[in-house]
C-alpha cells in the first residue's frame, strides 16, 4: 500500500469516526436531559474510569497511552456538552460582566491613584503612562494600595504583578485573593535599572548597594561580580532617597534614571541589569467591576479538586474552544497541605459566547473568583 492509498484509507476512517462522534454526542445529549430531569451531577468519575479501563484494554499495550489521551479529551467534551444542556440560562456572573461592559465609559485620563513606593518609583512611572493626569497617593506596602482602593480612598491602584526575568510578585497574587478588587487595565513597562550615587562617588568606591528585592534579583550578575554588600529596601525610590540623604561615599542605589534627577544623584553605571530585555507588568485595580472598550484579556482564580486530571479539565475547557491561556500561576491554599489555587490569564473577550459558557461553568465550582476583563497597553 503506497502513501496515497494510506491517505485514502485514513479519509474513510475519519468519515466513520466523525459519524460515530456525532452519534455519541447525540447520545450524550440524551444523558444530559435525563440528568437534568433527575437532578443528577454531570461528573460520574467511576463511570469515566471504567470507560478508560475498557477502551485502553481494547486497543492494547502499544496504544494504551494514546487511547487514554484520546478518550480523556472525548470525555471532557462530553462533560462540557452536558454542562451546556444543563445550563438554566445566562449566569449571574455573566449578567454582571455584560452589564459592566455596557455601563463602563472611556478609561479616565484623571483619577486619584494609589501607588506603592515614592516619587520616581516604577509604579509611579507606570501610573503616569496609564493616566495622563493622575493624583497619586503613595503607600509603603502593597497591602496599603489594596486597602486604599477597597475603602474608596483611591479609585484605582497600580501594582507590579510579574517581571520578565525575576518572575511573579507572589505577594500581590496573595493580596488579590485577600481583597475584593478587580483588574481594569494592565501595562507592560520596560525597566531600565541604573546604579545611582551622590556626585563625586565613583563606581570603584561603592561597597554597598540598596534597592528593592526584585531589582536586586534582576541585577544579580552585576552585584555578584562586584562583591558589594546588598541591602533590601521597600522600593527603589526610597533607596535612592536614602542614598541622597546619606553622607557616605561608598553607597549606591539601583533605581530609574528619573530618580537620579529627582534626588540629585548621578548615574555611575547604566548597565547593571542581567538582561536588556527587562519588563515588568503592572496591573490597575479598582473596587468595582469596570470593563472598558477593547478588553481582550480575562483573569480569574480557581482551585482544582485534589484528584488526577482536575487541572487538565480546567485547561481543556479553553483549549477545546481555541482560547489561549497566556499565564498560569499556582499559589498554595492556606491551611491545606500541598493544595493549590490557580491564577489564569486568558486571551478572551467577555462578549464571546465561548467565554461566557466557560465562565458560567466555572462559577458553579466550589472555588472560583473572577478578577477582571481588561486590555494591556504598552
Amino acid at each position: 500500500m503506497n502513501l496515497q492509498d494510506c491517505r485514502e484509507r485514513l479519509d474513510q476512517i475519519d468519515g466513520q469516526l466523525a459519524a460515530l462522534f456525532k452519534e455519541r454526542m447525540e447520545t450524550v445529549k440524551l444523558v444530559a436531559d435525563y440528568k437534568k430531569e433527575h437532578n443528577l451531577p454531570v461528573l460520574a468519575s467511576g463511570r469515566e474510569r471504567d470507560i478508560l479501563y475498557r477502551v485502553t484494554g481494547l486497543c492494547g499495550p502499544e496504544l494504551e497511552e494514546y487511547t487514554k489521551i484520546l478518550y480523556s479529551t472525548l470525555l471532557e467534551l462530553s462533560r462540557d456538552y452536558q454542562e451546556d444542556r444543563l445550563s438554566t440560562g445566562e449566569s449571574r456572573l455573566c449578567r454582571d460582566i455584560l452589564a459592566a461592559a455596557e455601563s463602563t465609559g472611556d478609561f479616565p485620563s484623571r483619577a486619584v491613584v494609589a501607588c506603592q513606593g515614592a516619587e520616581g518609583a516604577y509604579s509611579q512611572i507606570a501610573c503616569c503612562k496609564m493616566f495622563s493626569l493622575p493624583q497619586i497617593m503613595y503607600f509603603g506596602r502593597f497591602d496599603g494600595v489594596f486597602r486604599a482602593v477597597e475603602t474608596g480612598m483611591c479609585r484605582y491602584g497600580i501594582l507590579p504583578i510579574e517581571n520578565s526575568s525575576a518572575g511573579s510578585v507572589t505577594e500581590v497574587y496573595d493580596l488579590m485573593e485577600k481583597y475584593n478588587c478587580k483588574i481594569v487595565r494592565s501595562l507592560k513597562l520596560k525597566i531600565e535599572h541604573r546604579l545611582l550615587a551622590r556626585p563625586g562617588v565613583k563606581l570603584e568606591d561603592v561597597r554597598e548597594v540598596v534597592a528593592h528585592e526584585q531589582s536586586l534579583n534582576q541585577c544579580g550578575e552585576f552585584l555578584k561580580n562586584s562583591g558589594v554588600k546588598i541591602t533590601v529596601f521597600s522600593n527603589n525610590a526610597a533607596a535612592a532617597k536614602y542614598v541622597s540623604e546619606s553622607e557616605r561615599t561608598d553607597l549606591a542605589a539601583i533605581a530609574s534614571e528619573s530618580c537620579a534627577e529627582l534626588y540629585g544623584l548621578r548615574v555611575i553605571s547604566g548597565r547593571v541589569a542581567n538582561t536588556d530585555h527587562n519588563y515588568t507588568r503592572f496591573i490597575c485595580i479598582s473596587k468595582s467591576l469596570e470593563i472598558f472598550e477593547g478588553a481582550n484579556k480575562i483573569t480569574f482564580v480557581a482551585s482544582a479538586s485534589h484528584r488526577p486530571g482536575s487541572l487538565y479539565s480546567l485547561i481543556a475547557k479553553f483549549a477545546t474552544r481555541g482560547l489561549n491561556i497566556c499565564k498560569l500561576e499556582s499559589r498554595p491554599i492556606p491551611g491545606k497541605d500541598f493544595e493549590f489555587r490557580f491564577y489564569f490569564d486568558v486571551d478572551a473577550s467577555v462578549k464571546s459566547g465561548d467565554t461566557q459558557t466557560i465562565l458560567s461553568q466555572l462559577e458553579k465550582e466550589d472555588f472560583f473568583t473572577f478578577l477582571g476583563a481588561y486590555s494591556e497597553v504598552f
Side-chain angles (χ1 to χ4, degrees):
M1 183 178 287
N2 59 33
L3 180 59
Q4 185 59 35
D5 292 335
C6 290
R7 286 174 172 171
E8 289 176 359
R9 177 62 182 144
L10 286 173
D11 289 343
Q12 293 174 2
I13 294 170
D14 286 340
Q16 295 168 3
L17 285 173
L20 288 171
F21 176 72
K22 182 180 179 182
E23 183 179 348
R24 192 184 197 284
M25 295 302 277
E26 288 172 349
T27 307
V28 166
K29 185 192 297 184
L30 297 177
V31 172
D33 292 343
Y34 180 90
K35 288 180 177 179
K36 186 174 185 178
E37 182 180 348
H38 294 82
N39 196 29
L40 296 174
V42 168
L43 178 62
S45 55
R47 164 71 176 161
E48 291 192 2
R49 190 166 54 248
D50 290 344
I51 291 172
L52 291 174
Y53 182 82
R54 177 170 54 84
V55 295
T56 52
L58 289 173
C59 292
E62 184 178 351
L63 296 176
E64 183 176 280
E65 285 302 313
Y66 297 100
T67 308
K68 183 179 179 181
I69 293 170
L70 171 63
Y71 270 83
S72 294
T73 304
L74 186 59
L75 292 171
E76 177 65 34
L77 291 172
S78 298
R79 285 197 301 275
D80 272 4
Y81 196 37
Q82 289 184 59
E83 291 280 5
D84 289 346
R85 293 287 296 177
L86 268 61
S87 174
T88 56
E90 193 179 81
S91 72
R92 178 195 56 78
L93 173 62
C94 287
R95 286 196 300 270
D96 291 345
I97 287 173
L98 293 176
E102 288 294 325
S103 62
T104 305
D106 296 330
F107 193 80
S109 60
R110 55 194 299 145
V112 180
V113 185
C115 288
Q116 187 267 346
E119 193 72 17
Y122 288 113
S123 290
Q124 176 254 309
I125 297 171
C127 179
C128 290
K129 284 184 175 291
M130 287 196 203
F131 301 92
S132 57
L133 293 167
Q135 181 182 341
I136 303 176
M137 296 182 67
Y138 292 105
F139 297 86
R141 298 174 59 86
F142 291 141
D143 61 352
V145 174
F146 278 97
R147 283 200 303 271
V149 173
E150 189 178 54
T151 60
M153 182 185 300
C154 298
R155 181 177 174 183
Y156 298 110
I158 304 294
L159 296 148
I161 194 74
E162 64 177 315
N163 177 265
S164 56
S165 58
S168 298
V169 185
T170 55
E171 182 184 354
V172 174
Y173 274 105
D174 292 340
L175 289 168
M176 286 293 295
E177 183 60 28
K178 180 179 178 180
Y179 291 91
N180 186 27
C181 295
K182 306 298 181 187
I183 303 172
V184 300
R185 183 151 290 197
S186 68
L187 177 139
K188 193 177 289 184
L189 180 70
K190 183 171 176 57
I191 303 298
E192 296 179 310
H193 290 311
R194 303 287 186 261
L195 190 66
L196 312 180
R198 288 167 58 86
V201 176
K202 298 178 181 179
L203 180 59
E204 56 267 27
D205 299 331
V206 175
R207 296 292 178 266
E208 182 179 2
V209 173
V210 295
H212 186 272
E213 183 178 12
Q214 284 271 340
S215 299
L216 293 170
N217 291 337
Q218 292 162 23
C219 302
E221 293 177 14
F222 169 83
L223 295 171
K224 182 180 179 180
N225 292 333
S226 64
V228 297
K229 175 186 175 182
I230 59 174
T231 301
V232 176
F233 265 60
S234 59
N235 62 80
N236 289 347
K241 186 170 185 283
Y242 173 76
V243 171
S244 72
E245 295 172 349
S246 172
E247 297 296 328
R248 290 173 55 184
T249 58
D250 63 347
L251 184 65
I254 293 173
S256 65
E257 194 159 344
S258 62
C259 280
E261 300 171 5
L262 189 63
Y263 297 110
L265 300 175
R266 191 171 64 88
V267 177
I268 58 174
S269 180
R271 299 183 62 84
V272 293
N274 297 340
T275 173
D276 290 334
H277 186 80
N278 188 13
Y279 290 85
T280 293
R281 182 171 167 238
F282 290 85
I283 55 172
C284 178
I285 61 170
S286 72
K287 181 179 180 180
S288 57
L289 180 62
E290 300 180 25
I291 302 177
F292 296 97
E293 188 65 33
N296 56 5
K297 181 175 290 188
I298 63 172
T299 295
F300 64 88
V301 57
S303 71
S305 58
H306 202 47
R307 61 177 178 81
S310 58
L311 179 58
Y312 167 80
S313 295
L314 267 176
I315 294 172
K317 290 181 184 296
F318 295 91
T320 55
R321 290 172 172 82
L323 298 176
N324 179 46
I325 297 173
C326 51
K327 183 174 176 63
L328 178 58
E329 178 81 15
S330 67
R331 297 296 299 145
I333 299 175
K336 294 188 177 182
D337 293 338
F338 304 107
E339 292 191 37
F340 298 86
R341 55 180 179 260
F342 299 91
Y343 288 83
F344 288 79
D345 288 348
V346 183
D347 291 328
S349 167
V350 290
K351 296 181 180 179
S352 159
D354 283 339
T355 305
Q356 292 175 32
T357 296
I358 295 172
L359 292 177
S360 296
Q361 293 176 6
L362 291 176
E363 188 182 14
K364 300 172 186 175
E365 298 295 326
D366 292 338
F367 187 88
F368 169 76
T369 304
F370 182 75
L371 294 178
Y374 53 95
S375 59
E376 185 164 277
V377 295
F378 295 87

